[in-house]
Amino acid sequence: LSVSCREAVDHSDYAWLEAKVFQPSCGAFSACHKGAADAAMGLNLEAGQARGNLVGRPSQTRPGETLVVAGDPARSYLLVALGQRPGTLPPSGTMPVNSPTLCAEKRDAVERWIAAGALP
């Protein structure tokens, strides 16, 4: 396991997720969730933007789905998109696109964060 995957076992806090999951895996690439995020339907996941653009926000690729429902991982489409929970994937496939699936430890950390209320 990578260092950040090993670290993920001890985390469910937003600051760590932003620094170790959302920013490097999602928000660091202009073709994905950075800036205007045109290729990602405007979903900016850069530092300082990710939580506000995820929690309580509708999915642009799956109408009727909410990206993160605070306290309810089962209703949070982000976990489907990450390959953590079953469901219909986004048209481009499991996130992050064109990269290996996030390790189970990181996906578990995201799920714990959501379950704990998706706090800042």
Side-chain angles (χ1 to χ4, degrees):
L1 286 177
S2 72
V3 171
S4 63
C5 287
R6 282 194 302 272
E7 287 176 359
V9 173
D10 298 321
H11 287 278
S12 59
D13 55 289
Y14 179 72
W16 188 89
L17 290 170
E18 183 178 66
K20 302 291 184 168
V21 178
F22 300 133
Q23 178 57 34
S25 300
C26 313
F29 309 102
S30 59
C32 295
H33 296 286
K34 183 176 183 177
D38 292 331
M41 304 196 85
L43 180 58
N44 181 333
L45 297 180
E46 289 182 275
Q49 302 293 315
R51 184 179 178 280
N53 288 331
L54 289 170
V55 179
R57 297 296 183 113
S59 168
Q60 297 299 308
T61 60
R62 296 289 306 157
E65 299 283 353
T66 301
L67 294 172
V68 171
V69 178
D72 196 346
R75 292 183 41 228
S76 296
Y77 185 68
L78 175 63
L79 295 175
V80 173
L82 293 176
Q84 178 74 351
R85 291 189 167 256
T88 303
L89 291 172
S92 53
T94 304
M95 298 292 133
V97 173
N98 297 324
S99 296
T101 302
L102 292 175
C103 63
E105 294 80 6
K106 286 183 178 180
R107 292 183 318 221
D108 289 346
V110 172
E111 186 163 354
R112 288 191 305 272
W113 170 68
I114 294 170
L119 301 173

